[in-house]
Amino acid sequence: MPGIGRLTPAATLLAAISVLVTACTGQSGAEAADDPKADVTLNFWHGWSAPSEVKAIEENIARFEKAHPNIKVKVTDNMTDDKINQALRAGGEKAPDVVSSFTTDSVGKFCNSRAFADLNPFLRKSGIDKTKVFPKTLLEYTQFNGNQCTLPLLNDAYGLVYNKDAFKAAGITEPPRTWSQFAEAARKLTRTSGDSYEQLGVMPTFHGYETTPMRLAAQWSPAYFTADGKSNLAKDPAFAKMLTAQKALVAELGGYQKLEKFRSTFGDEWSTDHPFHKGLVAMQIDGEWRAAMAKEGGASFEIGTAPLPVPDDQAEDYGKGYLSGTVMGIAAGSRKQNAAWELVKYMTTDTAAVVAFANSIHNVPSTLEALESPDLRVSPEFKTFLDIARHPKSNTTPAQADGGTYQLTFQDFAYAVEKGDVSDLPAGLARVDQQIDTDIAKAK
């Protein structure tokens, strides 16, 4: 199971993170006074829990400790952001010095509250030019207002995973590149059975696992905020166009109620009962892990991968997609920040370490050198997602002071749109903008 794909909902984190504003004190960057060559034990907390993931972390830590014999790392796995935030607030010797989080949506909150130390001074001391190490989009979601409070630790690219056998049976010779081709393929691949489905071309509703409004909106290259930081959903036509296209596809495939009734029969996203594995859904919007998981889950058909389709008027940008990933930072209250930086630097910038970790858990590498490494194991299915990660117009949701609250506001509105509860889309988006601006102002 891919760790990055199991993102903690941002809504559960906001209260816990906000208390850190007054709780986090400590060293930062150039002010860190501990001797990184002294014998020390670091507490490293992360969220991975599957045996293969935990083993991959342990192997990386073993390589680090061999290169840094004075630094021992005590690793605690399966840590949620709630547990991490409580420990950071409490402080003390048992609190984490280094943290890895799946929740990129909360980076703005982590940085704004000063829960994590700004890593810019550490980067400068180490002579590392972050713009030459990490892809631009990854730097966007790991910092806020110039505070680089986290660094990328692998990343996810989202694309299309599809059933090649079903494509062949439907007479479809290649994956769709534009939205109109996508909608046509979804119709051809759908076979009804009474008031349900024998096979659904794609589950288009926003509750369908990884099919979130943010990941679909990425194909329209949206601008969530204006230059002065105001919410931009009503003024940027990308959002209305995406919502309109998605709602039309929902209607074409049977309507919201029928689709949701079918979706209620689906198995867990991370189990062998996933509907794509079982051939119930022919196309799946998903991350780089899905093809491997489907094979391991006993899928009996040939699997293909491709970028998500783009709007018809942006056909020249085909290949782009939504990017997110795991982040890694240093607790602001840690008294071992220079030693902690050695661990963060190794795991996030050392090419061999990044490649080894990516190979172990089947995620996309997070440095420019690792993306091109000859040691990276690349299957044809995986290459698609590497190409999406490299695409200059791939994008992400920007960090904000309220963490992921603005995304939840947009997502709730998208749920209402697809159900048919919004009669005036422009007016609805304007109200969403007002709510987002209010929430961000409160967070600041």
Side-chain angles (χ1 to χ4, degrees), residues 30 82 86 101 104 117 124 153 171 189 228 230 245 248 254 289-290 368 394 420 440:
D82 277 342
Q86 290 168 12
S101 170
T104 54
R124 287 193 292 269
L153 178 61
L189 290 161
D228 60 354
K230 297 296 184 182
W289 60 82
R290 180 56 55 194
L368 295 169
S394 287
I440 290 175

Side-chain angles (χ1 to χ4, degrees), residues 145-183:
N145 281 352
N147 179 357
Q148 190 74 52
C149 73
T150 66
L151 287 176
L153 178 61
L154 304 191
N155 78 115
D156 283 328
Y158 290 85
L160 191 68
V161 184
Y162 63 96
N163 182 330
K164 284 189 172 183
D165 293 359
F167 267 50
K168 184 177 180 180
I172 304 172
T173 58
E174 60 183 10
R177 297 173 64 92
T178 65
W179 187 267
S180 62
Q181 292 172 352
F182 180 57

Side-chain angles (χ1 to χ4, degrees), residues 243-264:
L243 290 169
T244 300
Q246 184 268 352
K247 185 181 178 183
L249 183 57
V250 167
E252 291 172 25
L253 296 184
Y256 179 78
Q257 297 299 332
K258 183 176 180 178
L259 288 167
E260 283 294 281
K261 182 180 179 181
F262 185 54
R263 189 183 64 82
S264 70

